Structures are given as structure tokens and as C-alpha cells.
Amino acid sequence: MTALGVVFRPQLPPERLRAMVRAADDAGLAELWLWEDCFLESGIASAAAALAWSERLHVGVGLLPVPLRNAALATMEAATLHRLFPGRVTLGVGHGVQDWMGQVGARAESPLTLLREHLGAMRALLAGERVTTEGRYVRLDGVALDWPPASAPAVYAGARGPRSVRLTGEAADGTILDASTTPEGVREARRLIDEGRRVAGRTDTAHPVVVYLHAATGPDAQARLRAELARDGREGTPGLGVAGGADDVAKGVRRLAEAGADTVVLQPTADEPDPEGFIRFVTDEVGPLVP
């Protein structure tokens, strides 16, 4: 079964989040996802508010840039959310956009090493372990959480390049792929993830894959989608994004699911005229068409 989500785009002001959460909760949306893009909105603060404002909504953050975050602090925040809202949170970490990391003086010489070290520390701390490590970037001396979650939660990682995607299979509990990923790209990512899992001896556990999908509906859907892809420099990429009615969007979701996506998160255009209406469209019209 494919889970459906929608992104709350941080191009919307933070004060719009509550209405989006209420719309998602009322409509029965499975998952609402948030971003921590520089220099828009905090992923953790937004997630905490969204969880508190809703009754059943699952909230994902995809993703938190690790160069911005000390591993111990990120894990404390994650543990707090998991204890306050057990079973309703998915947190993903990743390299972050390197130009943005440079702007704040946090650009790592080896983003891959940093992500590997951060994932190792975060997963161990969330599992209740006491951690001492002297890595290139992550250094902890006898650190343990006083309030770890009751059971170790999954930590996802976002990735795009092949080495990073392979690392998510080796060191993370799930993978987040951005909206530049075609169905063929999902298949290739699954292959790389499985390579990493074999290297780490982790083939006995499931490894969920979350994929974002550009989506637009309404009378100007095609034009808005083309403009969005053009802004990303990806206009004309075959198999990327979907515009139209519920049937069209559901077909795009099914193509990604057949390629290996466990969760498809529909990403409206930054200029979506009715974000709450988009949520209702996804739940009421697209959802029944997706197995």
C-alpha cells in the first residue's frame, strides 16, 4: 500500500501552517511533510506545532541539514518529539544545499563523512546508548539521552548523488528522494540502497523510500508545473512531475510506487493558489485512485 503525503511549502508564511494542519487532519491526509530550507522556516519548531495542532496526522521533516545541527542537539529534539507524539513523526537528515551551508559558515569539506557520522551518532543515541566518538566532524564524550524514546525510532536520510544514496542504505533507516527523481531514478536508487544495505549487513530489515512528486491541478496546472520545473532547471525532463486532474496525478503516484516508492509526497507548486484545497484534492480525489 502506498502512503500519500503533501508538502507544506515554506514559501508560505509560518502563520499559514495551522490552517494547513487543520485541513489535513480534517480531510484524513496520511502525512504532512515539512522542509528546513534556508532561510525560510525551522523544521523542528514547525513539526512540533503541527503535531500539537492535530489529532492523528503523521508529520515528516525532510530534511534537516546536518551541517547546521550539532548531532547531540538534533537527537535531543528528535527524542522530545518522539516521546511527545509517539508513532507520528518521521525525521530525515541530509547534506543540505552546499551554497546555503557556505553562506552560514557551515560547509563541510566532506559532506558524505559528516552525514555518515551524524547518522551513526543519532541512531545510537535514540536507541538509548551512551556514545563516545571522535570523528572528523562529530565528537561526543560519554553522551546519553536522559529521556530516549521508548523504542528506537527510524532516522531517514535524504540523498541525490549515487554515493549519498548508497550511504542511506548503509547508515539510515529510510531514504528520502527529492522531486527531481523520475520513476527510473527511483529504481536506480533502490539498487544503490540495496548495495549499501548489503555492505552494512542490514538486509533483514525493511528500508522505506519516500519520494516527492511535483504536482499541480486546476485550469492553469500545466503552465504552473512548467514554470516550476523551469525554475529548477528541469523543464522537459521526461517523467518528471504531473499536472491535471485526479486521474493524471494518481497515475504519476502509481508510476513511482511501481518503481519502489513506499510513500509519495505530492509537492504543489510554490504559487499554488489554494494550498488547503490541494490537500482536499489529494485526500478526496487522488487517494481513492491509489492502491
Side-chain angles (χ1 to χ4, degrees), residues 185-204:
V186 175
R187 292 187 183 91
E188 175 62 9
R190 273 289 188 190
R191 185 186 68 79
L192 292 167
I193 291 164
D194 287 344
E195 282 185 7
R197 294 174 72 208
R198 285 194 295 272
V199 167
R202 304 180 64 202
T203 55
D204 58 337

Side-chain angles (χ1 to χ4, degrees), residues 75 78-80 82-83 124-129 144-153:
T75 310
T80 300
H82 282 291
R83 287 190 69 110
L125 289 168
L126 287 171
E129 298 177 21
L145 296 176
D146 286 324
W147 296 104
S151 58

Side-chain angles (χ1 to χ4, degrees), residues 34-38 40-48 61-81 91-96 100-101 104-108 111 113-119 121-122 125 137-140 155-156:
L34 308 167
W35 295 345
E36 191 166 77
D37 279 1
C38 297
L40 295 166
E41 293 159 23
S42 159
I44 295 294
S46 299
V61 181
L63 46 78
L64 304 170
V66 296
L68 285 177
R69 294 184 164 273
N70 177 275
L73 177 59
T75 310
M76 289 163 58
E77 292 182 316
T80 300
L81 286 180
L91 295 181
V93 297
H95 300 308
W100 292 341
M101 299 303 100
V104 298
R107 187 165 186 164
T113 301
L114 170 56
L115 183 57
R116 181 189 300 277
E117 292 179 359
H118 195 107
L119 282 166
M122 194 170 186
L125 289 168
Y137 298 103
V138 176
R139 299 177 178 88
L140 301 172
V155 180
Y156 286 40

Side-chain angles (χ1 to χ4, degrees), residues 3 5 43 47 51 55 64 95 97 140 155 157 172 189 238 242 255 266 269 290:
L51 289 159
E55 296 296 328
L64 304 170
H95 300 308
V97 176
L140 301 172
V155 180
V242 61
R255 284 194 291 268
L266 296 174
T269 59
V290 176

